[in-house]
């Protein structure tokens, strides 16, 4: 991970929950097929430096099929079929900005613009969604949000779906913005609350109002 996160991780590594989490993950990776690859478990903290964080997009857990999970929430390697949620994310970006997204689900380009693409549960057993619903992960994400809440520079939190929205209570910094929406999965998005909500425009307008460069959401 990038050294800008060292202070945060050094503090967490001293706590019992984090030691238990790492031990539990070692056992899982040694005995089962777990996604993403172990070296990509904390990839979000490698691709996005703490000082560069402008946006936090919180997913729930990684994709659970072979080759999909990359360590970045909602992202898949280029060349793979877009998962339904990501397809709806791209569709809404197209709706808001009136440009055509490429059929490329690699979101590294967003991570390198300051979008922290983080899942609440950083790992998953193959073919078993939410199989790593560990209490230790919830502690970790809660600590992360509390840590980010003390960052002075502007940050937008995109919390999609009821699971993500519950973390909003940890954000009280007046220089930060929380945007709540329905989850982009078809089951939720097609019931309203996702499409035509100006989610990404609202994010960019906030960043502009704070004198920051907006996110370029197009993937080309």
């Amino acid at each position: 991970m990038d050294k800008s996160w060292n202070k945060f991780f050094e503090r967490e590594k001293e706590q019992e929950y984090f030691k238990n989490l790492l031990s539990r993950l070692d056992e899982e990776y040694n005995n089962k097929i777990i996604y993403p690859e172990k070296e990509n478990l904390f990839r979000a903290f490698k691709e996005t430096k703490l000082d560069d964080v402008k946006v936090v997009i919180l997913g729930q857990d990684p994709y659970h099929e072979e080759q999909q999970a990359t360590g970045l929430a909602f992202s898949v390697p280029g060349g793979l079929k877009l998962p339904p949620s990501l397809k709806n994310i791209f569709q809404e970006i197209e709706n808001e900005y009136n440009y055509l997204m490429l059929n490329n689900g690699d979101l590294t380009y967003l991570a390198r613009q300051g979008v922290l693409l983080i899942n609440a549960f950083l790992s998953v057993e193959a073919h078993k969604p939410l199989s790593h619903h560990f209490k230790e992960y919830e502690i970790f994400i809660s600590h992360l949000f509390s840590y980010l809440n003390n960052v002075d520079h502007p940050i937008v939190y995109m919390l999609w779906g009821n699971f993500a929205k519950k973390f909003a209570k940890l954000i009280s910094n007046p220089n930060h913005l929380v945007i709540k929406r329905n989850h982009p999965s078809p089951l939720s998005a097609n019931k309203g609350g996702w499409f035509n909500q100006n989610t990404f425009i609202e994010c960019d307008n906030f960043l502009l109002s704070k004198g920051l460069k907006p996110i370029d959401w197009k993937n080309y």
Side-chain angles (χ1 to χ4, degrees):
M1 63 198 72
D2 186 81
K3 63 181 180 180
S4 61
W5 294 100
N6 283 355
K7 184 177 179 181
F8 170 70
F9 276 95
E10 285 170 3
R11 186 184 70 177
E12 299 308 298
K13 287 177 181 177
E14 295 300 315
Q15 300 194 40
E16 197 64 29
Y17 91 89
F18 198 82
K19 295 176 183 177
N20 291 340
L21 175 62
L22 294 182
S23 177
R24 191 171 186 179
L25 288 173
D26 281 342
E27 184 176 349
E28 290 286 304
Y29 274 98
N30 287 336
N31 295 289
K32 301 174 184 176
I33 299 175
I34 305 297
Y35 301 131
E37 297 294 329
K38 194 173 185 180
E39 59 266 26
N40 288 328
L41 196 62
F42 296 104
R43 185 184 167 204
F45 301 97
K46 175 183 178 182
E47 299 291 354
T48 308
K49 297 178 181 178
L50 176 59
D51 292 342
D52 293 341
V53 174
K54 295 179 180 178
V55 181
V56 177
I57 295 180
L58 180 66
Q60 192 159 352
D61 69 334
Y63 299 122
H64 53 85
E65 299 300 332
E66 187 177 5
Q67 298 183 334
Q68 287 184 313
T70 66
L72 301 178
F74 294 104
S75 181
V76 293
L80 263 62
K81 181 181 178 181
L82 298 183
S85 292
L86 183 54
K87 189 174 182 179
N88 282 341
I89 291 170
F90 281 5
Q91 184 177 334
E92 180 57 18
I93 292 172
E94 291 178 346
N95 291 344
E96 294 185 27
Y97 290 97
N98 197 31
Y99 49 61
L100 188 65
M101 297 288 283
L102 298 180
N103 190 36
N104 181 349
D106 184 354
L107 303 184
T108 305
Y109 76 102
L110 294 179
R112 292 177 180 171
Q113 291 183 71
V115 181
L116 185 66
L117 298 162
I118 187 74
N119 283 309
F121 311 121
L122 297 179
S123 54
V124 68
E125 186 178 348
H127 320 305
K128 295 183 179 181
L130 290 178
S131 50
H132 279 190
H133 188 164
F134 300 157
K135 65 178 182 179
E136 291 90 349
Y137 271 142
E138 293 205 41
I139 297 171
F140 174 76
I141 291 297
S142 294
H143 286 189
L144 172 63
F145 269 55
S146 296
Y147 190 81
L148 290 171
N149 189 52
N150 291 316
V151 172
D152 288 333
H153 67 255
I155 298 176
V156 178
Y157 300 83
M158 291 191 174
L159 305 182
W160 302 335
N162 291 333
F163 176 82
K165 289 175 185 176
K166 72 179 185 179
F167 291 94
K169 63 186 178 184
L170 300 173
I171 306 304
S172 59
N173 191 319
N175 208 28
H176 295 180
L177 174 69
V178 175
I179 299 177
K180 300 178 185 179
R181 296 289 187 264
N182 279 10
H183 196 276
S185 66
L187 185 64
S188 177
N190 294 332
K191 293 180 179 179
W194 172 256
F195 294 114
N196 303 311
Q197 298 294 308
N198 284 336
T199 299
F200 302 96
I201 287 176
E202 182 179 350
C203 172
D204 280 349
N205 285 344
F206 176 80
L207 294 175
L208 283 167
S209 75
K210 298 295 184 178
L212 297 177
K213 185 178 179 181
I215 303 301
D216 185 358
W217 298 99
K218 65 178 181 293
N219 59 350
Y220 55 90

